[in-house]
Amino acid sequence: MELKAIGIVGAGIMGNGIAQAFAMAGFDVIMADISETAVQKGLATIAGSLDRLIKKEKLTAEEKTAALARIRTATDVAALKDRDLIIEAATENLELKTRIFKQLDDLAKPAAIIASNTSSISITKLASVTRRPAQVIGMHFFNPVPMMALVEEIRGLQTSDATYAAVEALAQAIGKTPVQVKNSPGFVVNRLLCPMINEAIFALGEGLADAASIDEAMKLGCNHPIGPLALCDMIGLDVELAVMQVLLEGTRDPKYRPAPLLVEMVEAGYLGRKTGKGFFTYE
């Protein structure tokens, strides 16, 4: 099964990053979102990212033009009906993703594979709302998508070997390293990463140290390239909270209880870089 035509639902930070990665590798991409403003913002982000690669001499101006020409946009998911693979990259919300999967199942051609970029939601559950559960899989990319090599390839209980093999080959074709992961709350990376971030928020809430000191300690003491609180700001505090809630509900293990400070900051609308304020302040 060869996958050539790619559809992406969502033009946000993950969706546009996925679109860029496929376009740079020569694939035909349609990126859909709910408004023209959203898709144009996504395109502008891709153009800016490509410009940075030109400055670093990792890309030529001609290659930028060619990559952008491979990306079309749409404000209706019906535009994705001819795609070989459709990747859902919407907000981390089960109700929303379920609705999108039902829509995609109705409109996609019979042979199409539907994937989710979810960081924590059950692929088995998403597959169950479709009439093609064997053709549903998780493709969890990491931010920033054009730079990060990993793709967690998540098999739902129903995912076929043929679907897995086709998506594995595709991930490799765009220069990514796929790692096979069983369907489980948080999968592998977020199962390990998000509790660490959550513990850093507990430490901050308890006054153990200030945010800058906690991050500096983890960078210097554990050789992390970025501190856990700055990383949470990059991911989004709402996403961190959603993953912790999925881990808690999925495992019934109290060690995954979200830090009270995290809950309160999300309630305040302090979501990190995307709102200009999280554990640190951004212009």
Side-chain angles (χ1 to χ4, degrees), residues 74-94:
T75 55
D76 186 344
V77 292
L80 308 179
K81 64 182 185 293
D82 69 337
R83 302 285 92 183
D84 300 321
L85 170 73
I86 304 174
I87 303 170
E88 168 274 312
T91 304
E92 198 71 356
N93 176 285
L94 177 60

Side-chain angles (χ1 to χ4, degrees), residues 14-260:
M14 294 305 294
N16 68 58
I18 295 167
Q20 179 182 334
F22 276 103
M24 286 176 65
F27 287 84
D28 170 37
V29 179
I30 299 177
M31 180 174 68
D33 210 314
I34 57 172
S35 71
E36 188 62 27
T37 301
V39 293
Q40 289 305 320
K41 185 177 178 183
L43 272 181
T45 300
I46 293 169
S49 175
L50 294 172
D51 283 338
R52 286 191 291 277
L53 291 173
I54 291 171
K55 284 181 183 176
K56 292 176 183 176
E57 298 184 344
K58 293 183 177 180
L59 197 74
T60 66
E62 292 75 17
E63 286 169 333
K64 173 194 170 181
T65 301
L68 287 174
R70 295 186 194 108
I71 303 171
R72 287 175 283 156
T73 62
T75 55
D76 186 344
V77 292
L80 308 179
K81 64 182 185 293
D82 69 337
R83 302 285 92 183
D84 300 321
L85 170 73
I86 304 174
I87 303 170
E88 168 274 312
T91 304
E92 198 71 356
N93 176 285
L94 177 60
E95 185 182 345
L96 173 64
K97 288 183 186 290
T98 299
R99 189 164 69 246
I100 291 169
F101 263 71
K102 286 178 179 176
Q103 267 186 296
L104 295 177
D105 186 43
D106 286 341
L107 65 89
K109 62 186 183 184
I113 291 172
I114 306 175
S116 178
N117 179 56
T118 180
S119 56
S120 61
I121 290 169
S122 169
I123 298 302
T124 298
K125 191 175 287 186
L126 292 174
S128 73
V129 305
T130 75
R131 295 184 300 274
R132 64 182 84 205
Q135 293 156 240
V136 173
I137 195 166
M139 282 188 86
H140 181 211
F141 292 82
F142 290 79
N143 185 33
V145 177
M147 308 303 295
M148 298 291 277
L150 178 66
V151 175
E152 283 184 319
E153 196 175 342
I154 304 126
R155 297 186 75 136
L157 189 64
Q158 315 94 315
T159 307
S160 71
D161 289 344
T163 295
Y164 181 85
V167 170
E168 180 180 46
L170 184 69
Q172 291 167 341
I174 63 168
K176 302 301 182 188
T177 302
V179 171
Q180 184 172 175
V181 178
K182 193 172 79 171
N183 188 64
S184 179
F187 315 127
V188 170
V189 172
N190 282 327
R191 172 86 173 259
L192 303 177
L193 175 66
C194 289
M196 181 197 74
I197 293 172
N198 193 54
E199 197 59 36
I201 301 168
F202 267 117
L204 179 65
E206 292 166 12
L208 193 62
D210 63 23
S213 298
I214 290 169
D215 274 15
E216 193 71 359
M218 290 302 289
K219 285 193 290 183
L220 299 180
C222 298
N223 205 27
H224 288 191
I226 184 172
L229 299 174
L231 180 57
C232 190
D233 280 352
M234 185 183 295
I235 294 167
L237 276 70
D238 52 337
V239 176
E240 167 70 14
L241 178 58
V243 174
M244 293 309 299
Q245 287 168 334
V246 166
L247 287 168
L248 181 61
E249 290 162 15
T251 64
R252 306 288 180 186
D253 191 329
K255 73 181 180 183
Y256 296 117
R257 177 174 66 95

